[in-house]
């Protein structure tokens, strides 16, 4: 554990030196905390992407090219369907939360964003189920594959 702290501190100190050199200013404790948090997010994202790479490689080998291609198509279509669900909410949420110091108001902002996401999800799923045959014909998918795509959106 102590070795990990030494490595983390060495990386953070290196980044802080780069920060000081690049911006020609001294770093503050707030900057150090930000860099440490950013480092944690960077490492967590790297681990998640590594697992995703391993899963995709194994999935491709286990499923074979045809079935894995169908899986990739399902994931791609689900990604397109999910785009309007959170359309612009994250940016607005971050801006509003940064401007607000009142905890009750922050809670209300977050709950409103979650309600919006849930509402758009329900609307998109209803449209998907009502027009499932037409959409699956347009996308040249089997109806069960399209239902699986809608399930992945959830």
């Amino acid at each position: 554990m102590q070795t990990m702290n030494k490595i983390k501190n060495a990386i953070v100190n290196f980044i802080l030196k780069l920060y000081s050199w690049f911006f020609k200013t001294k770093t503050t404790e707030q900057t150090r905390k930000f860099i440490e948090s950013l480092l944690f997010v960077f490492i967590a994202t790297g681990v998640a992407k590594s697992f995703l790479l391993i899963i995709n490689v194994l999935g491709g080998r286990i499923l074979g090219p045809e079935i894995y291609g169908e899986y990739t198509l399902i994931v791609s279509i689900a990604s397109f369907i999910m785009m309007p669900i959170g359309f612009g909410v994250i940016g607005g949420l971050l801006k509003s939360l940064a401007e607000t110091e009142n905890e009750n108001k922050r809670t209300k902002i977050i709950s409103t964003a979650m309600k919006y996401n849930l509402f758009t999800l329900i609307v998109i799923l209803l449209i998907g189920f009502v027009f499932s045959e037409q959409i699956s014909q347009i996308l040249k998918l089997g109806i069960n594959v399209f239902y699986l795509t809608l399930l992945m959106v959830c």
Side-chain angles (χ1 to χ4, degrees):
M1 189 68 171
Q2 208 167 30
T3 306
M4 292 299 288
N5 282 338
K6 286 181 182 179
I7 293 171
K8 182 186 90 167
N9 286 334
I11 293 171
V12 169
N13 288 335
F14 176 73
I15 294 172
L16 289 173
K17 285 180 185 177
L18 284 176
Y19 176 90
S20 295
W21 174 79
F22 186 77
F23 291 109
K24 308 284 189 249
T25 183
K26 290 184 179 182
T27 58
T28 63
E29 187 60 31
Q30 186 177 9
T31 307
R32 181 175 192 77
K33 286 180 183 179
F34 176 75
I35 297 295
E36 287 175 353
S37 299
L38 194 63
L39 182 64
F40 177 74
V41 170
F42 179 74
I43 291 170
T45 303
V47 169
K49 296 289 183 182
S50 299
F51 278 123
L52 187 61
L53 175 67
I54 292 168
I55 289 169
N56 281 329
V57 169
L58 288 176
R61 292 196 178 272
I62 292 169
L63 296 175
E66 186 177 326
I67 296 173
Y68 186 73
E70 197 167 308
Y71 164 75
T72 304
L73 179 65
I74 290 169
V75 171
S76 299
I77 293 171
S79 296
F80 276 110
I81 293 172
M82 287 187 321
M83 283 178 10
I85 292 172
F87 195 68
V89 171
I90 299 296
L93 184 65
L94 291 174
K95 180 183 180 302
S96 298
L97 290 176
E99 292 174 346
T100 306
E101 292 186 24
N102 184 341
E103 196 63 34
N104 290 334
K105 198 167 184 182
R106 284 182 175 198
T107 304
K108 189 173 180 179
I109 291 169
I110 292 171
S111 66
T112 303
M114 291 179 73
K115 288 175 188 174
Y116 169 80
N117 280 347
L118 182 62
F119 173 75
T120 54
L121 173 66
I122 290 170
V123 168
I124 287 174
L125 288 177
L126 284 174
I127 291 170
F129 281 115
V130 170
F131 298 105
S132 58
E133 289 185 26
Q134 294 88 344
I135 296 171
S136 64
Q137 286 176 355
I138 291 170
L139 297 174
K140 295 182 175 45
L141 294 173
I143 192 75
N144 291 336
V145 174
F146 183 70
Y147 287 146
L148 183 60
T149 304
L150 289 178
L151 185 63
M152 283 191 84
V153 170
C154 294

